[in-house]
Structures are given as C-alpha cells and as structure tokens.
Amino acid sequence: MKVLLVGNGAREHAIAENLARDCELYCVMSKKNPAMAQLSKDYWICNIEDPVSVESVIKGKDFDLGFSSPDATLAAGVSDVLEEHGMLVASPSKAASRIEWDKSYMRSLHENYHVGGTPKHEIVTNIKDATRVIKDYELVAIKPLGLTGGKGVKVSGDHFVNLDQKLEYTASLLEKDGSALIEEKLIGEEFTLQAFCDGSSIALMPPVQDHKRAFEGDSGPNTGGMGSYTTGTNLPFLNSSDLENAKKIIQDAVYALKKDGHPFKGILYGQFMATKESVKLIEFNARFGDPEAMNVLALLNGSLTDVFLSMAEGQIHPPTFSSDCTVVKYLVPDGYPTEPKKDLPVEINGAEIEKTGASLYYASVYENEGKIFTSSSRSFGILGRAQTLDEAEKVAESACAYISGSLWHRKDIGTSALVERRVAHMRKLRGIE
Ligand code: AMP
Ligand code: GLY
C-alpha cells in the first residue's frame, strides 16, 4: 500500500515511524525532516500549507491512502486536494476541520446540537461589550477565534493581573481580527483525549496530560507544548466518569458534524479541563496533538496503516493500546518561546540514546552539510516508555543528556512530584481529604 503523509514535525515523525512498518511511505514536507526522509520511499519539499503546491508535487503519482497532519494544512484544504487526487483520505476536510480553525463555529455547533461541556463564553466585536463581559466573568481566558499554534491565549492570574491588561489584549485582537473570544477561566486540571473517527464512530486513545507553559511549575508563556505523559487507560487525577463524560463530548461532536453536513474522518483531539463540578471542553483540534501523538502512538498495538485505512473507508477498526506509561520531553532552543536562538548546531549521540531505551523524534531542525541546526520552534521530542511513570520519566530524562547544543527542557514533566501535585489539586477542588 502506498501512503502519502503531509507534515514534517516530531508528531509526523512518530506517525511516519508507525506507518512505515507496513506500507510504502511517501512524504510531503515544508522542510526536510531528516528522520522522515529516511523512512520514506520518496519525499518532496513544498509549501504544505498551500494546496496548489501540494497538488503540483504529487501530480501524476498514485497513492492508495493520504493523511495530512498539521492544523494549518487542514485549514487550507490539503485533505480535499488529496481526495480529489483519487486516494482514500484519513484526515478531515477543510469543512470538517473548521471545528478547530474557527472557534465561533465550534461553539455554535455545540449550541445547535447540544454538545455538553461548554464553558461560559461570549464572542465580542467591540470594546464596550468586552468590558462588560470581562467585568461580569472576573477571571477570564481571552483568545483569538482562529489558529494560533497554542500561543494566542491569555489567562487571568497567569498573564493578566488587572482589568487594563485584559482590555489592552482584547483591543489588540479586535484591531487585528475584528473579534475576540472571552471565556470564564476554568480552574482544574487539563487533559487531552484523542479519538480516531470514521465520520460516525470513534475509537479512543489513552488520555494524556500535556504541559503548555514554558517553565517548570507551570509558569511562563504558553507554548506549543513542552512535554506530556500518559499512564495507561486513565490519568491519576481523573476518575472514570471524567473520562466517560469527555468521551461523550467527543462522540456528540462527531454526530453534530455529521448532521451539519461535514462528517469528520480523522483524529479529533479534545482538550479538556476536569473542574470541581464536571469536565469542560477548552477546544477541539482536528489532528493529533504534538507532543501527545508520540505518547499514544508508542503504545498502539497493531497497524496504524490499517486504522487509517478503516477510518478513511468509514468503518473504523478500533485498535488496542498497551497499558504502559510514556513520557515525552521536548528539547527547545534557548530563548524559546519568546526569543528562540535559531541556526545553532546540535550534536546527537544516537548510540547513547539507543542504550537508554528512549526514542528520539525530530521536530523543527534542519540539516546542512551533514550537521543538524535549530530553528525557531521546538527541536526534538524524547520519549521514554516503561511499566511505571517513574521509570518512563527516568528513561526520557537520561536520553536528554545525549543531545548537546543551545537547548533546554522542562525537567519536571512526568515526575512523581508533579503528578502528585495534580492529584492533590483535584482532590482539594473536589473536597476530598
Ligand atoms: P487553547 O489555544 O485554546 O488550547 O489554549 C491554550 C491554553 O490556554 C490551554 O491549554 C489552557 O491552559 C489555557 N486556557 C484556554 N482556555 C482556558 C479557559 N477557559 N480557562 C483556563 N485556561 C484556559
Ligand atoms: N499539545 C497541544 C496541541 O497539539 O495543540
């Protein structure tokens, strides 16, 4: 089977590694990911966010199955181009992925089809309304309606300390986009639940906790995600009804999209907050999470190619997963996310990394004359896998030492101390002593 994969980050490296086990893999990338190039039978470089460029590089070639991975490619309509080209497609159309790229569509879809878990929110188009809503909610999250790579959201307490700062940020969004989304600030613990979807049915992956904040102890600006962990069928701070409620929200959203005329085939990623009362939905993404894809794909039993094919055919074969734990740590350039130092060389000691048992995924780095250099985004994902979280964390942490250069990472991700804090936080919120 000939499979075409669009994308070139660490998440796509993990997808490519799984697919290449039992298919002939071809990749379209915006920059050469050296590891993905090695896994592919052939690859092409073009602007993957431009469907016309993608079409021009695959013209005259035949593929059985296609998967376009990053959000911006979905929003640009790359899945639709793959379908027009005549292959089966396992990623969502532009219309279905609107659930990610247009938060006002997502919120109105949920309202029209009674999908639960929606926080209090309002979309504002002028500063007078913004002032009223901000004063009414007091603690808020303010965000643009479109794609921002996880970096456009600002939250009371973390980023704003007074009304003026909230209004100033809202005014900047109004000036740029003409609108802004203001939500009540949710208090609780965040988690990611991803599902394979075939247009009607869903098959869940193990839940994951990502870490959006740049610095240890969850401080600093939002990033694309600094690392993540999974602990098998449930996370230590969730109960089984949290997971059931999140599953229902995903299933209901898939029904809603079908009823709205845009059946969703692909990966639906729910970003949830477990709060004192219930599970709330922060947002949907129409793709695998990055880093979460690495956590779950390492645990997938069987063939990802088969799951993708069954999704594309509208009759999903639900996969099973190992109950092992995984920890991913992202190595990022010095200065990331605000002033990343790019174009600096890094040295990878592959033999030592292999000895630790960790897996290395290439993200935003590039190769020049046989050397690897940083760019302005996250550089490498390092994955540790073991039967316990503690061991998985130690595997990932030990491997980080074998990549040298102007890079740093969060050492606290996946540690028992951090996870115990999450559990204590949830117990306190729920009044359990
Ligand atoms: P998003 O781009 O919507 O995924 O948001 C990025 C991050 O901002 C999330 O991972 C949360 O940590 C935070 N965030 C977004 N919306 C809210 C909210 N309503 N309440 C609290 N935190 C939020
Ligand atoms: N890990 C966050 C995201 O993929 O959006």
Side-chain angles (χ1 to χ4, degrees):
M1 167 128 46
K2 290 184 173 181
V3 180
L4 182 70
L5 171 63
V6 180
N8 47 262
R11 165 183 55 195
E12 288 75 27
H13 180 183
I15 298 168
E17 182 184 68
N18 273 263
L19 292 173
R21 290 192 187 122
D22 60 358
C23 77
E24 206 169 85
L25 182 67
Y26 296 84
C27 293
V28 183
M29 306 188 258
S30 55
K31 275 195 192 130
K32 178 179 161 186
N33 178 314
M36 287 175 69
Q38 259 185 12
L39 290 163
S40 329
K41 178 110 200 271
D42 205 353
Y43 66 89
W44 304 280
I45 307 293
C46 73
N47 175 3
I48 61 171
E49 293 172 16
D50 173 16
V52 177
S53 305
V54 174
E55 196 169 17
S56 69
V57 295
I58 62 172
K59 205 171 175 177
K61 302 174 183 83
D62 274 335
F63 307 97
D64 301 298
L65 179 65
F67 185 81
S68 187
S69 174
D71 48 9
T73 67
L74 302 172
V78 170
S79 297
D80 307 72
V81 162
L82 302 187
E83 193 160 313
E84 281 157 26
H85 197 82
M87 65 192 96
L88 283 163
V89 180
S91 49
S93 63
K94 177 173 180 166
S97 66
R98 190 170 173 200
I99 194 162
E100 171 168 8
W101 54 259
D102 180 355
K103 286 186 165 91
S104 71
Y105 174 70
M106 187 265 273
R107 293 292 182 211
S108 65
L109 188 79
H110 286 202
E111 212 163 289
N112 296 342
Y113 296 98
H114 313 293
V115 181
T118 303
K120 248 183 1 181
H121 67 281
E122 212 163 301
I123 294 166
V124 296
T125 53
N126 61 69
I127 206 71
K128 188 164 163 254
D129 287 343
T131 311
R132 173 182 52 76
V133 178
I134 291 170
K135 283 187 173 164
D136 181 24
Y137 293 179
E138 283 181 41
L139 297 180
V140 288
I142 302 176
K143 44 182 107 173
L145 292 175
L147 296 177
T148 60
K151 295 171 204 131
V153 181
K154 294 199 180 193
V155 182
S156 289
D158 300 337
H159 311 107
F160 303 123
V161 289
N162 59 40
L163 178 66
D164 283 351
Q165 289 171 342
K166 294 171 196 169
L167 290 176
E168 199 180 305
Y169 185 56
T170 311
S172 73
L173 294 179
L174 291 177
E175 196 180 315
K176 193 155 54 79
D177 305 332
S179 60
L181 174 60
I182 305 176
E183 289 175 357
E184 61 172 324
K185 178 182 177 178
L186 299 170
I187 314 247
E189 283 294 329
E190 273 184 78
F191 65 99
T192 301
L193 190 61
Q194 303 169 95
F196 296 104
C197 311
D198 66 9
S200 310
S201 304
I202 65 169
L204 288 186
M205 302 177 224
V208 185
Q209 188 172 46
D210 183 21
H211 298 73
K212 288 277 176 98
R213 300 289 193 271
F215 308 130
E216 279 165 31
D218 293 320
S219 59
N222 272 324
T223 67
M226 294 298 292
S228 46
Y229 66 90
T230 186
T231 48
T233 46
N234 207 351
L235 288 162
F237 55 85
L238 298 179
N239 53 42
S240 57
S241 65
D242 294 326
L243 212 54
E244 276 307 310
N245 292 338
K247 178 181 177 184
K248 181 168 181 344
I249 292 169
I250 296 180
Q251 181 66 76
D252 288 351
V254 170
Y255 283 141
L257 279 162
K258 189 176 178 186
K259 285 193 217 129
D260 215 46
H262 309 297
F264 188 97
K265 287 183 181 182
I267 313 301
L268 192 56
Y269 165 128
Q271 190 187 338
F272 295 97
M273 184 81 85
T275 68
K276 186 177 161 193
E277 298 87 18
S278 60
V279 161
K280 301 275 187 191
L281 178 81
I282 293 180
E283 68 168 355
F284 270 128
N285 294 324
R287 52 173 174 81
F288 276 117
D290 188 352
E292 293 96 324
M294 289 174 265
N295 292 95
V296 296
L297 289 175
L299 301 174
L300 181 84
N301 295 321
S303 157
L304 184 64
T305 310
D306 177 59
V307 181
F308 275 8
L309 185 63
S310 65
M311 251 183 350
E313 285 174 331
Q315 200 59 260
I316 193 158
H317 301 166
T320 60
F321 291 86
S322 155
S323 58
D324 278 357
C325 300
T326 56
V327 173
V328 174
K329 303 210 180 202
Y330 250 121
L331 291 168
V332 299
D334 280 345
Y336 176 85
T338 43
E339 285 169 7
K341 287 198 179 132
K342 53 182 188 160
D343 306 316
L344 295 176
V346 290
E347 291 286 339
I348 303 162
N349 189 336
E352 288 299 326
I353 292 174
E354 210 177 315
K355 278 192 215 159
T356 65
S359 304
L360 168 66
Y361 295 101
Y362 284 64
S364 280
V365 288
Y366 65 94
E367 202 176 34
N368 192 10
E369 297 178 352
K371 285 199 156 191
I372 303 286
F373 292 84
T374 57
S375 70
S376 56
S377 218
R378 297 172 293 181
S379 308
F380 300 98
I382 306 261
L383 173 119
R385 170 185 178 165
Q387 280 180 347
T388 65
L389 188 66
D390 232 26
E391 288 170 79
E393 191 276 331
K394 287 195 172 79
V395 171
E397 190 57 44
S398 64
C400 289
Y402 297 111
I403 300 189
S404 49
S406 298
L407 299 168
W408 64 277
H409 68 281
R410 269 184 67 168
K411 293 197 169 61
D412 59 345
I413 292 172
T415 57
S416 345
L418 187 122
V419 176
E420 278 159 21
R421 270 216 315 277
R422 310 275 189 224
V423 173
H425 182 210
M426 253 357 271
R427 288 175 71 85
K428 190 167 170 217
L429 281 179
R430 288 177 166 156
I432 308 166
E433 288 313 320

